[in-house]
Amino acid sequence: PVNVQITYARTPAKGILAESRTGDNDLIVVGSHGRHARSFLGRDDVTLQVLVGADRPVLVVPSEEGW
């Protein structure tokens, strides 16, 4: 089963991480912009912030255009 939850937070990454810690979640799934290093290494990159801050596995799904 899948549960979709909308959480309001100061940033998307903070919302994703806060929500992931509140329930019985086994996995975080986030999308990626593509394989360009510049899009992945920025401090504002939500995917990178989630990967660094997560306390559970993260599945990164690439965009169809970037791969």
Side-chain angles (χ1 to χ4, degrees), residues 18-25 56:
E19 185 59 36
S20 74
R21 293 182 181 115
T22 61
D24 185 24
N25 302 299
R56 65 201 68 233

Side-chain angles (χ1 to χ4, degrees), residues 47-59:
T47 304
L48 181 59
Q49 291 175 28
V50 172
L51 285 168
V52 170
D55 62 351
R56 65 201 68 233
V58 178
L59 173 64

Side-chain angles (χ1 to χ4, degrees), residues 10-65:
R10 293 182 69 111
T11 67
K14 287 183 181 190
I16 292 167
L17 293 170
E19 185 59 36
S20 74
R21 293 182 181 115
T22 61
D24 185 24
N25 302 299
D26 298 321
L27 177 70
I28 300 170
V29 180
V30 293
S32 171
H33 295 292
R35 64 182 177 180
H36 301 294
R38 190 169 38 165
S39 70
F40 188 69
L41 295 176
R43 281 189 288 169
D44 295 331
D45 188 279
V46 174
T47 304
L48 181 59
Q49 291 175 28
V50 172
L51 285 168
V52 170
D55 62 351
R56 65 201 68 233
V58 178
L59 173 64
V60 179
V61 180
S63 69
E64 290 182 20
E65 298 169 358

